[in-house]
């Protein structure tokens, strides 16, 4: 019999978490032998290559056998050097072969370090007034006090609000519930143009960088920016001398059907934050990739990058990341993500005929989200007390499918959504199984909430 847990603190006080015992491919198995499809790719959007790939654990074991930690103030390590070369060779647009890589531990470290680099770059360049980070509402960039401050995910911000550094947020690029009440393309992309307004209001001399996710993950359940959005963002950043930070923590490494999600807009950012899919959850690792020109300014002025954690550039993690990246390329996972993502979205749209609570289906590649509504025609949300997305999550979990429930599509407060991001190795039959489970789970939730 399972010993009741008393000492470990979990994410929720009111539920019993099954204990995971092993994982293979797209499946997780708990201690009672129940099998689950890892439909959200972990919590969330992590497991690019799937679970249990031997090459990764062997590379990690081999590196750990040689050494797993080293004094980073005095030495470097070969896996870190090799990983940096590999990442720069795969970087998007003008960053390819013309950037440098800083390796750290979590996605939050990466976005924090990206804004540190932006700030240090401007100080060292002789423009110390540039410090502000403009971000967007309904965005998530990480979970430390500083990063949660420039994130725009209302529910996670609220308790810590008084502790944040004040920073401007612009409205999200979110066509289903357009903050400007317009429709694409006649909207003239006001969501992107609102960056210019914010920059002018703050005074460009004060603004260091703009940060955004090309496809918003946890805060909007896979909402991609419309076509043309990032081209306008890039122009505004160039015009006002502002760095563009691309948060690819969820979207990188093939997740959206391209190696980098910013590739869909054919724009080069100045700094990229990446994590999750880069080691597929086998071990913690994240990185920032920034233009040579940015690092060169620091180098020329002998100004070491003022960031860093004890476990940065960990050799075991760097060894794992290389195997994961090669696996992604060798198995053409961005292509599979594109094809299976299309199949998934088409299947979900078909379910709309049977499920009036399915208000919207969206995403790119295998980052697929849907929104649950009380009335489709008016997009009326469920009462938050009804916890519609959590009900859906529980109904699917019971049937062996992990989903990721999200809330806040309306002003960060109302609106239930579900994020799906299965491992990129998933096959067509497995997508159909997911669709079948979602079909049954939606029926259960609709009857519980009285949706007809
Ligand atoms: C877009 C984005 N940025 C940053 C983070 C923070 O990453 P981590 O949870 O590894 O700190 C997340 C986490 O979900 C994310 O989705």
């Amino acid at each position: 019999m399972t010993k009741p847990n008393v000492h470990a603190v979990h994410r929720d006080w009111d539920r019993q978490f099954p204990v995971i015992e092993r994982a293979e491919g797209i499946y997780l198995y708990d201690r009672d032998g129940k099998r689950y499809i890892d439909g959200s790719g972990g919590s969330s959007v992590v497991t690019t290559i799937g679970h249990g790939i031997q090459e990764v654990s062997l590379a990690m074991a081999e590196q750990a056998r040689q050494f797993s930690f080293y004094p980073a103030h005095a030495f470097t390590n070969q896996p870190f050097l090799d990983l940096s070369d590999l990442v720069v060779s795969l970087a998007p647009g003008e960053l390819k072969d013309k950037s440098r890589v800083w390796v750290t531990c979590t996605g939050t470290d990466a976005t924090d370090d990206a804004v540190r680099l932006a700030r240090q770059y401007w100080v060292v360049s002789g423009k110390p007034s540039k410090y502000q980070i403009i971000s967007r509402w309904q965005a998530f960039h990480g979970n430390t006090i500083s990063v949660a401050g420039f994130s725009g995910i209302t529910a996670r911000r609220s308790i810590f609000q008084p502790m944040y550094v004040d920073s401007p947020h612009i409205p999200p690029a979110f066509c289903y519930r357009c903050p400007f009440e317009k429709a694409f393309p006649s909207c003239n992309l006001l969501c992107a143009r609102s960056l210019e307004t914010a920059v002018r209001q703050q005074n460009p001399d004060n603004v260091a960088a703009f940060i955004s996710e090309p496809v918003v993950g946890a805060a909007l359940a896979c909402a991609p920016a419309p076509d043309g959005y990032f081209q306008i963002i890039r122009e505004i950043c160039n015009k006002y001398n502002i760095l563009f930070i691309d948060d690819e923590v969820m979207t990188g490494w093939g997740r959206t059907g391209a190696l980098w999600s910013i590739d869909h807009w054919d724009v080069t950012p100045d700094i990229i934050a990446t994590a999750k899919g880069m080691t597929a959850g086998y071990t913690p690792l994240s990185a920032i990739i920034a233009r040579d020109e940015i690092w060169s300014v620091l180098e020329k002025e002998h100004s070491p990058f003022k960031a860093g954690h004890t476990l940065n550039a960990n050799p075991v993690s760097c060894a794992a990341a290389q195997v994961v990246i090669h696996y992604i390329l060798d198995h053409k996972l961005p292509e599979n993500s594109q094809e299976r993502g299309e199949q998934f979205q088409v299947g979900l749209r078909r379910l709309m005929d049977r499920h009036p609570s399915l208000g919207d289906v969206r995403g790119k590649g295998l980052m697929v989200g849907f929104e649950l509504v009380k009335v489709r025609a008016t997009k009326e949300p469920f009462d938050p007390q009804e916890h519609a997305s959590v009900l859906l999550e529980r109904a699917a979990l019971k049937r062996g499918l992990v989903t990721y429930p999200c809330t806040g599509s309306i002003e960060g407060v109302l609106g239930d959504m579900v994020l799906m991001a299965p491992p990129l190795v998933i096959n067509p039959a497995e997508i159909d199984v997911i669709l079948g489970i979602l079909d049954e789970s939606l029926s259960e939730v609709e009857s519980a909430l009285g949706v007809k």
Side-chain angles (χ1 to χ4, degrees):
M1 200 177 110
T2 309
K3 224 171 78 190
N5 163 59
V6 282
H7 296 134
V9 176
H10 290 92
R11 290 186 178 201
D12 192 334
W13 300 112
D14 301 324
R15 74 194 262 182
Q16 280 293 324
F17 290 93
V19 179
I20 286 296
E21 201 164 61
R22 71 187 179 88
E24 199 181 334
I26 67 161
Y27 299 107
L28 303 155
Y29 298 83
D30 75 13
R31 195 147 65 185
D32 300 326
K34 181 167 168 138
R35 189 178 86 165
Y36 306 83
I37 297 175
D38 186 4
S40 53
S43 307
S44 49
V45 198
V46 177
T47 45
T48 37
I49 68 169
H51 300 275
I53 304 294
Q54 282 281 307
E55 293 102 291
V56 187
S57 37
L58 290 175
M60 290 172 69
E62 176 55 20
Q63 182 55 45
R65 203 181 54 74
Q66 292 177 30
F67 67 97
S68 39
F69 185 61
Y70 71 110
H73 69 284
F75 299 93
T76 187
N77 73 78
Q78 196 60 45
F80 169 40
L81 300 175
D82 294 342
L83 176 64
S84 303
D85 288 345
L86 179 61
V87 170
V88 167
S89 75
L90 297 170
E94 296 150 29
L95 294 175
K96 182 176 163 56
D97 299 327
K98 292 197 194 89
S99 50
R100 296 184 220 177
V101 180
W102 167 265
V103 173
T104 181
C105 307
T106 69
T108 308
D109 299 338
T111 52
D112 192 77
D113 287 354
V115 304
R116 277 167 190 263
L117 180 60
R119 168 68 181 154
Q120 190 172 340
Y121 167 75
W122 289 122
V123 171
V124 176
S125 306
K127 296 194 171 64
S129 64
K130 286 172 97 60
Y131 75 99
Q132 276 183 328
I133 305 300
I134 302 183
S135 57
R136 303 189 299 190
W137 287 113
Q138 285 135 298
F140 185 63
H141 300 294
N143 232 353
T144 55
I145 295 290
S146 66
V147 176
F150 63 77
S151 288
I153 195 159
T154 306
R156 298 204 200 187
R157 283 168 53 90
S158 53
I159 293 185
F160 307 100
Q161 190 96 18
M163 302 161 83
Y164 298 144
V165 175
D166 189 24
S167 69
H169 291 68
I170 63 170
F174 183 32
C175 294
Y176 178 59
R177 296 185 185 278
C178 173
F180 302 91
E181 297 185 0
K182 304 263 184 208
F184 181 78
S186 59
C187 60
N188 196 23
L189 288 160
L190 286 178
C191 50
R193 295 184 199 286
S194 67
L195 176 60
E196 182 157 21
T197 310
V199 169
R200 288 159 70 94
Q201 283 165 337
Q202 300 299 326
N203 182 351
D205 290 346
N206 294 326
V207 181
F210 170 68
I211 183 167
S212 59
E213 307 155 76
V215 183
V216 178
L220 281 178
C222 310
D227 290 347
Y229 180 88
F230 284 104
Q231 287 88 335
I232 295 175
I233 294 291
R234 183 68 270 180
E235 278 167 26
I236 296 168
C237 288
N238 290 350
K239 179 169 170 192
Y240 294 101
N241 226 7
I242 291 162
L243 299 181
F244 167 33
I245 302 173
D246 170 21
D247 183 346
E248 296 261 357
V249 166
M250 273 195 180
T251 53
W253 304 109
R255 172 54 65 184
T256 68
L259 196 59
W260 304 97
S261 63
I262 199 68
D263 288 339
H264 296 293
W265 287 267
D266 205 11
V267 156
T268 304
D270 299 301
I271 307 175
I272 291 178
T274 174
K276 299 196 184 218
M278 190 174 176
T279 45
Y282 285 79
T283 177
L285 179 135
S286 64
I288 60 173
I289 309 162
R291 288 182 191 266
D292 266 344
E293 297 93 303
I294 295 177
W295 296 113
S296 299
V297 168
L298 273 58
E299 187 178 26
K300 208 163 117 246
E301 295 302 322
H302 304 281
S303 173
F305 183 32
K306 297 263 189 298
H309 300 282
T310 307
L311 293 175
N312 269 15
N314 178 269
V316 176
S317 296
C318 290
Q322 288 174 69
V323 181
V324 169
I325 293 169
H326 283 301
Y327 195 99
I328 290 169
L329 300 174
D330 294 348
H331 292 80
K332 299 195 174 1
L333 295 190
E335 287 86 338
N336 197 50
S337 173
Q338 173 68 32
E339 285 161 21
R340 297 288 67 78
E342 264 168 39
Q343 179 194 349
F344 200 169
Q345 282 207 42
V346 168
L348 277 171
R349 289 215 175 83
R350 274 198 203 116
L351 289 186
M352 288 177 97
D353 296 341
R354 297 165 32 71
H355 294 290
S357 70
L358 265 180
D360 187 38
V361 172
R362 53 186 177 245
K364 260 200 195 305
L366 275 173
M367 225 175 137
V368 176
F370 55 92
E371 187 145 346
L372 298 172
V373 290
K374 208 163 162 181
V375 183
R376 186 186 289 155
T378 59
K379 305 183 184 177
E380 184 187 337
F382 286 102
D383 182 329
Q385 301 306 324
E386 290 178 306
H387 301 291
S389 53
V390 175
L391 288 184
L392 192 280
E393 187 240 345
R394 303 272 171 107
L397 197 63
K398 200 166 66 182
R399 294 172 170 84
L401 171 66
V402 184
T403 60
Y404 193 77
C406 314
T407 52
S409 58
I410 304 175
E411 291 161 0
V413 183
L414 298 170
D416 284 273
M417 304 164 281
V418 177
L419 179 157
M420 302 297 302
L424 306 184
V425 291
I426 195 162
N427 67 37
E430 290 163 338
I431 292 280
D432 285 339
V433 173
I434 292 181
L435 287 165
I437 295 177
L438 289 175
D439 187 8
E440 287 176 19
S441 307
L442 283 161
S443 298
E444 181 180 322
V445 172
E446 286 171 346
S447 84
L449 298 179
V451 178
K452 288 186 200 89

